[in-house]
Amino acid sequence: MTAKTTVPRSTTAQQPPAPGKATINDIARLAGVSKKTVSRVINDSPLVKPDTRAKVHALMREYGYAPDPQARGLAFRKSFLVGLVFDNPTAQYIVNMQYGVLDALRDTGYELVVHPCDSKREGYIDGIRRFVLQQKLHGVILIPRVSEDQALAEALREIDCRYVRIASVPFDEAGRMLVTQDRIAGAEAADYLESLGHRRIGLITGPKRYRSSIERGGGFLDALAKRGVQVPPENVYEGGYTFESGVAGAEQLLSRPDRPTAIFACNDEMAAGVYKAAQRMGISIPVELSVVGYDDSPLASQLWPAMTTVRLPVRDVGRQAASLLLAQDASQVAVMASVTPHLVARDSCLPPQAG
Amino acid sequence: MTAKTTVPRSTTAQQPPAPGKATINDIARLAGVSKKTVSRVINDSPLVKPDTRAKVHALMREYGYAPDPQARGLAFRKSFLVGLVFDNPTAQYIVNMQYGVLDALRDTGYELVVHPCDSKREGYIDGIRRFVLQQKLHGVILIPRVSEDQALAEALREIDCRYVRIASVPFDEAGRMLVTQDRIAGAEAADYLESLGHRRIGLITGPKRYRSSIERGGGFLDALAKRGVQVPPENVYEGGYTFESGVAGAEQLLSRPDRPTAIFACNDEMAAGVYKAAQRMGISIPVELSVVGYDDSPLASQLWPAMTTVRLPVRDVGRQAASLLLAQDASQVAVMASVTPHLVARDSCLPPQAG
DNA sequence: CTGAAAGCGCTTACAG
DNA sequence: CTGAAAGCGCTTACAG
């Protein structure tokens, strides 16, 4: 028996809704229209008289009303969640991608759900399918390497799930693809080293099963060939995109009598391995050896000398991918979206020493 | 007029539900029980006869039924989403944390929604409040530095939002806190360097507004003092947790005539800066200078020589934080959960040179 | 341009 | 231990 007055749960004398707690019914009642009309305003239907729309909008703002995504989702039979599916890229890549996607999702009512997976595991596609189906995802964004898996894309199409694939080759139709021009970037690295005067050049690629590796390395070799520089097979080492494989590759390339005066590693981790091997062998970077990496990871600028590398604006990529995904209902995209990475010249390259 | 037969939408002759498309009604009908009973099975109510439960479970498995989180959420007035709120830690930290949280969420029906924010921006708490309220989040996990903000925690309590704070000091009650013992780890670094024989020791801290910085640096200095080693103020440099501030700090510490024989930097980025400064100044690590970092970032093992650093098992932390969050309804946690980081000795420390 | 009815797939509150 | 009714906050399908 306290003095506290309790408000009856269901009263017909309508109270103003608590801030952030208003429902479509509150707004409808306050506006003197049906909830269907409010629904029309929410969904930007043209079938609303401007006056009515304005009044409803004002009320929505006043009460801080935002439609409940769960209720909306239930009625729409889809959620307002976008999934980010990735296998195992670098932390920096994942995080930048997330920031970019969130940039595009901000104030759209969509949220980002993260879903790492292991594409080497049997049945990983089933896991993704369950995730999509159960959460009734609006769509998913696929990052390399899962983006390169045609079976996964097919499975998603089968269950009618929107998706955008980020990959270095147009594996899919426009509107569902965001191409990163790794081949062009590889060529840029080649042009840079050749124009510095390097002729004996080494290449440390990633694993062949990564399309990015093929594009980066292939673009590099092709561009060199175009400039008349041949890279003999013994100057090409297939690494595993890991630091250790970079060390191993560099040790092999640099222990040959006619050792290269420049090395292009297809990611920064391996390039860092080149640094380590060079230091161990007493080979000075950049005087005796030029090094170019790929990714512009934080590492690149924190090594000494700061590393020349290739930068993909990952956050932009994420932003564009999310925009593509949200636009899929509205428009039939005709042109293939693409982003080209560029060389960031720092201190790890110099013309080769005379002699 | 094609030959294609269309199935009437609402037929009374019930069809078996498509895989992954069954609803509670399908399961109820097939089991010959009410949907309320199926609901009880879903929610592990004890008020179900074992036989009934078994039959329902069998059917759920057979049809790959999983309750719709949106419908459940709408009825429960809360979603099955957990938010991860962070300001600006390193990419590796964020990603490991996400992996850990997802480990704990796997097969629970909960999903992870990421929410970066800028704690320096006016009204950032409002943004988080809106996020929580609109998505009706099950709860949020707060990472340093947002986890250190009492106003944010208060705002969350006000709107009745579950949360777990990860921080280096018990800012909150048990069950809502996961303490990382940065102070103890700082002491471990001190003990290690002192036991190697170092007496002139430098310290590069993070910004004072980070509690982690205070704990790491404070723990380090206290432990040294306990062993009789005083660190004069001119051997302490306040950095900004950035590479550049590490370079600047090391340049200052190392240009003094009685320069330190060892430096502890409160994160790896700054420690990498120490490497760079040392190389520039021609001071050899570890022979002339020992370096200890903090974080065990990928960088640490990819520098040369490989860096001795302090490792917090971030993935475990994420896992534990998520478990705490999910357990908040069930149990009143009595003991404060905590995790202690440990020193990872590599190649960047040696006893000081004679003389 | 607007609205009343039914429904999305679950749960709560109540009754038995 | 089980179920029929009403409701969560939205939308679709239909009618006007």
Side-chain angles (χ1 to χ4, degrees):
Chain A
M1 300 300 151
T2 70
K4 193 168 136 203
T5 32
T6 44
V7 181
R9 276 299 245 141
S10 43
T11 168
T12 20
Q14 301 285 3
Q15 325 259 332
K21 296 283 187 181
T23 72
I24 197 173
N25 290 306
D26 296 318
I27 302 297
R29 180 169 41 77
L30 291 159
V33 300
S34 78
K35 63 193 208 185
K36 177 62 210 170
T37 296
V38 178
S39 171
R40 286 200 177 88
V41 173
I42 291 170
N43 293 290
D44 277 323
S45 158
L47 304 175
V48 183
K49 203 157 53 174
D51 290 6
T52 314
R53 179 188 309 282
K55 188 202 274 181
V56 170
H57 263 141
L59 253 4
M60 297 202 301
R61 198 180 340 275
E62 179 178 350
Y63 288 93
Y65 170 73
D68 181 331
Q70 307 213 48
R72 228 146 94 86
L74 185 59
F76 268 139
R77 289 157 190 78
K78 79 160 195 75
S79 75
F80 291 86
L81 300 174
V82 168
L84 184 69
V85 177
F86 52 89
D87 191 344
N88 203 14
T90 66
Q92 195 63 52
Y93 189 96
I94 296 176
V95 168
N96 284 341
M97 186 65 66
Q98 293 183 359
Y99 280 122
V101 170
L102 287 165
D103 286 343
L105 259 37
R106 199 175 331 286
D107 297 321
T108 61
Y110 287 89
E111 296 289 341
L112 177 62
V113 181
V114 296
H115 193 84
C117 63
D118 179 356
S119 69
K120 275 164 296 183
R121 240 195 41 237
E122 185 68 34
Y124 91 98
I125 292 183
D126 278 337
I128 296 174
R129 186 192 288 119
R130 263 200 310 279
F131 170 57
V132 168
L133 247 25
Q134 166 143 28
Q135 299 298 324
K136 301 210 251 29
L137 292 187
H138 175 85
V140 293
I141 294 172
L142 307 176
I143 290 177
R145 209 182 73 87
V146 284
S147 61
E148 301 174 358
D149 187 343
Q150 299 290 10
L152 173 58
E154 177 127 7
L156 291 173
R157 257 179 270 123
E158 224 160 63
I159 59 176
D160 236 30
C161 175
R162 299 173 194 79
Y163 63 80
V164 169
R165 300 164 75 176
I166 299 168
S168 48
V169 173
F171 284 120
D172 217 308
E173 61 200 79
R176 288 177 154 171
M177 271 299 311
L178 183 52
V179 178
T180 62
Q181 306 278 12
D182 291 40
R183 175 163 286 266
I184 294 177
E188 194 181 346
D191 292 346
Y192 179 70
L193 288 176
E194 196 277 341
S195 69
L196 280 177
H198 291 280
R199 296 295 176 270
R200 294 199 314 277
I201 299 179
L203 168 64
I204 301 181
T205 72
K208 283 202 210 81
R209 64 182 201 105
Y210 282 77
R211 189 60 195 230
S212 62
S213 168
I214 294 174
E215 295 300 308
R216 293 170 191 183
F220 183 77
L221 293 177
D222 284 358
L224 283 182
K226 224 173 261 168
R227 288 173 168 249
V229 177
Q230 298 305 324
V231 177
E234 62 270 25
N235 273 8
V236 178
Y237 181 92
E238 182 183 342
Y241 272 164
T242 64
F243 177 70
E244 289 72 22
S245 69
V247 176
E251 279 175 347
Q252 181 172 316
L253 298 182
L254 295 175
S255 58
R256 297 165 23 78
D258 247 31
R259 71 170 194 233
T261 59
I263 291 180
F264 173 50
C266 286
N267 76 357
D268 282 351
E269 281 199 53
M270 295 192 298
V274 176
Y275 269 59
K276 176 173 177 179
Q279 289 207 40
R280 262 199 199 152
M281 300 170 82
I283 298 171
S284 146
I285 299 171
V287 177
E288 299 173 273
L289 178 68
S290 292
V291 178
V292 176
Y294 200 112
D295 279 344
D296 194 22
S297 63
L299 190 70
S301 44
Q302 294 175 12
L303 287 173
W304 195 82
M307 194 199 286
T308 293
T309 184
V310 174
R311 174 196 291 157
L312 174 70
V314 176
R315 187 164 180 162
D316 287 345
V317 169
R319 200 160 17 218
Q320 283 196 49
S323 299
L324 273 177
L325 194 65
L326 296 188
Q328 276 183 11
D329 305 297
S331 54
Q332 280 299 350
V333 181
V335 306
M336 185 73 62
S338 89
V339 177
T340 305
H342 284 295
L343 196 78
V344 180
R346 286 201 269 254
D347 309 325
S348 61
C349 297
L350 236 43
Q353 286 177 301
Chain B
M1 301 299 150
T2 71
K4 191 168 137 202
T5 33
T6 45
V7 181
R9 274 301 244 143
S10 43
T11 168
T12 21
Q14 301 284 3
Q15 325 258 333
K21 296 282 188 183
T23 72
I24 197 173
N25 290 306
D26 295 317
I27 302 298
R29 179 170 41 75
L30 290 161
V33 300
S34 77
K35 65 192 205 184
K36 177 60 211 172
T37 296
V38 177
S39 171
R40 287 200 177 90
V41 173
I42 292 169
N43 293 290
D44 278 324
S45 157
L47 304 175
V48 183
K49 203 158 54 174
D51 289 7
T52 314
R53 178 187 310 281
K55 189 202 275 181
V56 170
H57 263 140
L59 252 5
M60 298 203 301
R61 197 179 340 274
E62 179 178 349
Y63 288 92
Y65 169 73
D68 181 332
Q70 307 213 50
R72 229 147 93 86
L74 186 58
F76 269 139
R77 291 156 189 78
K78 76 160 197 75
S79 75
F80 292 86
L81 301 175
V82 168
L84 185 69
V85 176
F86 51 89
D87 191 345
N88 202 12
T90 66
Q92 195 63 53
Y93 189 96
I94 297 176
V95 167
N96 284 340
M97 186 65 66
Q98 293 184 359
Y99 280 122
V101 171
L102 287 165
D103 286 342
L105 260 37
R106 198 174 333 284
D107 297 321
T108 62
Y110 287 89
E111 296 288 341
L112 177 63
V113 180
V114 296
H115 193 84
C117 64
D118 179 356
S119 67
K120 272 163 296 185
R121 240 194 41 237
E122 186 67 34
Y124 92 97
I125 291 183
D126 277 338
I128 296 175
R129 187 193 287 119
R130 262 200 310 280
F131 170 57
V132 167
L133 245 25
Q134 166 143 28
Q135 299 299 324
K136 301 210 246 48
L137 292 187
H138 174 86
V140 294
I141 293 171
L142 307 177
I143 289 176
R145 208 181 73 86
V146 284
S147 61
E148 301 175 358
D149 187 343
Q150 299 290 9
L152 173 59
E154 178 128 5
L156 291 172
R157 257 179 271 125
E158 224 160 61
I159 59 175
D160 236 29
C161 174
R162 298 173 194 81
Y163 64 81
V164 169
R165 300 164 76 176
I166 298 168
S168 48
V169 173
F171 283 120
D172 216 308
E173 62 200 79
R176 288 177 154 171
M177 272 299 311
L178 184 52
V179 178
T180 61
Q181 307 279 11
D182 290 39
R183 175 162 286 266
I184 295 178
E188 194 181 346
D191 292 345
Y192 180 70
L193 288 176
E194 197 278 339
S195 68
L196 281 177
H198 292 281
R199 297 294 176 272
R200 293 199 315 277
I201 299 180
L203 168 64
I204 302 179
T205 72
K208 282 201 210 83
R209 64 183 201 104
Y210 282 77
R211 188 60 194 232
S212 62
S213 167
I214 294 174
E215 295 300 308
R216 291 170 192 183
F220 184 76
L221 293 177
D222 285 357
L224 283 182
K226 225 173 261 171
R227 286 173 169 250
V229 177
Q230 298 304 325
V231 177
E234 62 270 26
N235 272 7
V236 178
Y237 181 93
E238 183 182 340
Y241 272 164
T242 65
F243 177 69
E244 290 72 21
S245 68
V247 176
E251 279 175 347
Q252 182 171 318
L253 298 183
L254 294 176
S255 58
R256 297 161 27 77
D258 247 32
R259 72 171 193 232
T261 58
I263 292 179
F264 173 50
C266 286
N267 76 358
D268 282 350
E269 280 198 54
M270 296 193 297
V274 176
Y275 269 58
K276 176 172 176 181
Q279 291 207 41
R280 263 200 200 151
M281 301 170 83
I283 297 172
S284 148
I285 299 173
V287 176
E288 298 172 275
L289 178 68
S290 291
V291 178
V292 177
Y294 200 112
D295 279 345
D296 195 22
S297 63
L299 189 71
S301 44
Q302 293 174 13
L303 289 173
W304 195 84
M307 192 198 289
T308 293
T309 183
V310 173
R311 172 196 291 155
L312 175 69
V314 176
R315 186 164 181 164
D316 287 345
V317 169
R319 199 162 13 218
Q320 283 196 49
S323 299
L324 273 177
L325 193 65
L326 296 190
Q328 274 182 12
D329 305 298
S331 52
Q332 280 299 350
V333 181
V335 306
M336 186 73 61
S338 89
V339 178
T340 305
H342 284 295
L343 196 78
V344 181
R346 286 200 269 254
D347 309 326
S348 61
C349 297
L350 235 45
Q353 286 176 301

